[in-house]
């Protein structure tokens, strides 16, 4: 199979939201005590988990949770509730942290992201970034000049569909002008990203490890599928 296009998930695939100690150092719980490292780590896990409900929610917030990646307002609403239930009860602290979490310039690229994007561009392979997300991630690429290597950004809050719904994958391949059988989806979630196989795409799974622990998974995935 010759692939003419590769779709990449964003979080945990080409970029990762790494824990920044300075963001969390001043967070305090209900009793005014600072969150310990274990609590900070769990908080970040909850804020970046690709699938699965991470806290118990009432009906209002449950609706926001299920639609968070379609609507920035609902995304903000439910994640402030997640922060509250995760040991950050003070609204000002929660808002400040949330604002940092949705700032794409704060996200860290995996070590091989640049090499992969440039290599695909050199081989004339179409590249799409397809993400369940409620904020614009383009600045994470443009500030590094990598937007030149991405043909399409397919973001759930812009297209009104979320993975694993087939509509979002169809939108991606239509924009790229390729056939599903000529498209490889690369992502860190079997459930969400792996659903690309339902419309005929191939799929490669990568682990959402810290960037320092995953130096070349993207390169390996593309080589395994004979894209590079």
């Amino acid at each position: 199979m010759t692939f003419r296009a590769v779709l990449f998930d964003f979080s945990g695939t080409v970029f990762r939201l790494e824990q920044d100690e300075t963001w969390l150092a001043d967070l305090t719980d209900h009793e005014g005590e600072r969150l310990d490292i274990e609590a900070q780590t769990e908080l970040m896990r909850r804020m970046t988990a690709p699938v699965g409900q991470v806290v118990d929610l009432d009906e209002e917030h449950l609706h926001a949770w299920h639609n968070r990646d379609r609507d920035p307002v609902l995304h903000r609403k439910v994640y402030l509730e997640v922060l509250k239930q995760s040991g950050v009860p003070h609204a000002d602290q929660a808002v400040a942290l949330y604002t940092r979490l949705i700032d794409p310039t704060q996200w860290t690229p995996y070590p091989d992201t640049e090499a992969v994007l440039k290599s695909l561009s050199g081989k004339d392979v179409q590249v799409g970034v397809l993400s369940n997300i409620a904020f614009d991630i383009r600045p994470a690429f443009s500030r590094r000049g990598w937007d030149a290597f991405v043909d399409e950004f397919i973001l759930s809050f812009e297209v009104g569909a979320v993975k694993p719904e087939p509509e979002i994958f169809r939108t991606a391949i239509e924009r790229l002008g390729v056939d599903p059988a000529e498209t490889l989806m690369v992502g860190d979630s079997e459930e969400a990203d792996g659903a690309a196989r339902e419309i005929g795409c191939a799929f490669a799974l990568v682990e959402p490890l810290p960037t320092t622990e995953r130096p070349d998974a993207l390169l390996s995935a593309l080589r395994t599928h004979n894209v590079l």
Side-chain angles (χ1 to χ4, degrees):
M1 171 60 64
T2 299
F3 290 106
R4 295 180 53 220
V6 179
L7 295 170
F8 293 100
D9 171 49
F10 177 67
S11 176
T13 300
V14 290
F15 279 76
R16 188 174 189 271
L17 185 61
E18 305 277 30
Q19 185 168 329
D20 187 319
E21 310 302 336
T22 65
W23 299 355
L24 308 173
D26 296 328
L27 297 183
T28 54
D29 61 19
H30 290 275
E31 298 177 352
E33 297 294 329
R34 290 187 177 181
L35 301 185
D36 59 26
I37 295 298
E38 183 176 327
Q40 292 179 11
T41 301
E42 175 61 15
L43 185 153
M44 293 296 287
R45 184 196 69 78
R46 293 181 180 186
M47 294 300 290
T48 58
V51 295
Q53 187 179 329
V54 293
V55 298
D56 291 329
L57 299 168
D58 59 25
E59 185 175 346
E60 177 184 356
H61 286 96
L62 190 59
H63 169 77
W65 176 263
H66 289 313
N67 293 279
R68 67 194 186 282
D69 289 326
R70 303 178 197 269
D71 186 337
V73 173
L74 295 179
H75 189 276
R76 183 179 190 275
K77 177 178 182 177
V78 75
Y79 275 109
L80 290 179
E81 177 66 16
V82 169
L83 286 170
K84 179 181 178 181
Q85 292 196 35
S86 301
V88 187
H90 305 291
D92 58 336
Q93 293 182 2
V95 169
L97 179 56
Y98 176 79
T99 301
R100 285 169 168 163
L101 298 180
I102 64 167
D103 179 355
T105 66
Q106 300 293 328
W107 290 58
T108 303
Y110 277 93
D112 55 347
T113 294
E114 180 177 15
V116 160
L117 294 177
K118 288 182 176 180
S119 295
L120 291 175
S121 178
K123 293 179 70 66
D124 199 28
V125 175
Q126 295 282 294
V127 172
V129 176
L130 190 162
S131 179
N132 283 357
I133 206 155
F135 57 93
D136 188 2
I137 58 176
R138 293 175 183 87
F141 295 82
S142 61
R143 72 191 298 257
R144 297 174 171 85
W146 298 351
D147 55 320
F149 308 119
V150 179
D151 297 287
E152 291 288 343
F153 287 90
I154 306 92
L155 311 182
S156 60
F157 82 101
E158 294 181 339
V159 302
V162 297
K163 298 176 288 185
E165 296 170 1
E167 290 78 12
I168 194 168
F169 299 108
R170 292 195 184 104
T171 296
I173 63 170
E174 287 171 6
R175 287 188 180 181
L176 292 174
V178 295
D179 189 273
E182 301 172 319
T183 305
L184 174 66
M185 176 75 209
V186 182
D188 69 314
S189 171
E190 179 73 36
E191 177 182 344
D193 304 310
R197 290 179 292 210
E198 295 180 15
I199 69 163
C201 300
F203 173 61
L205 181 69
V206 293
E207 295 296 326
L209 299 172
T211 56
T212 56
E213 298 176 19
R214 212 196 74 188
D216 58 0
L218 296 173
L219 287 167
S220 295
L222 297 189
R223 288 166 179 159
T224 297
H225 285 81
N226 298 315
V227 183
L228 295 180

